[in-house]
Amino acid sequence: MVDEELQKRVLEALDMFRPMLQADGGDMEFVCIDDMYNVHLNLTGACGGCPMAVMTLKMGVERYLKDACPEINEVIQDNAPNNAEGTQF
């Protein structure tokens, strides 16, 4: 189980990044941080089916989160198209 302090920092970092997604009609929902320190998210709105979602996750959200919370390994989109179990990018 991930400690509450890390989860709090992750949620704060996501809230700081969120306006960038919302500016393009999208958003994200935090799902969890797993035991491997991967952050699981669902992309919603315009981001949910966007062909640039991989770029947004890796070069945007993940990079931002790793700067704010170095313990984080990667970001995983749980609601990735064509994959009901989530996709690691």
Side-chain angles (χ1 to χ4, degrees), residues 7-50:
Q7 183 167 322
K8 179 182 174 190
R9 288 188 294 125
V10 165
L11 291 173
E12 288 172 357
L14 292 175
D15 284 343
M16 295 296 291
F17 192 87
R18 186 178 312 280
M20 292 179 237
L21 297 178
Q22 291 172 336
D24 290 327
D27 208 343
M28 61 186 156
E29 297 173 346
F30 173 78
V31 177
C32 69
I33 303 171
D34 66 25
D35 292 338
M36 303 283 294
Y37 292 94
N38 298 318
V39 174
H40 293 257
L41 301 175
N42 289 325
L43 293 180
T44 61
C47 294
C50 177

Side-chain angles (χ1 to χ4, degrees), residues 66-88:
K66 284 182 171 184
D67 284 345
C69 307
E71 308 92 323
I72 297 303
N73 287 319
E74 68 179 315
V75 174
I76 298 171
Q77 182 185 356
D78 282 0
N79 67 337
N82 301 322
N83 189 350
E85 294 182 20
T87 298
Q88 293 182 321

Side-chain angles (χ1 to χ4, degrees), residues 50-70:
C50 177
M52 297 301 291
V54 172
M55 180 81 73
T56 299
L57 280 174
K58 294 314 262 180
M59 300 306 293
V61 178
E62 182 175 287
R63 190 165 148 196
Y64 190 85
L65 272 178
K66 284 182 171 184
D67 284 345
C69 307

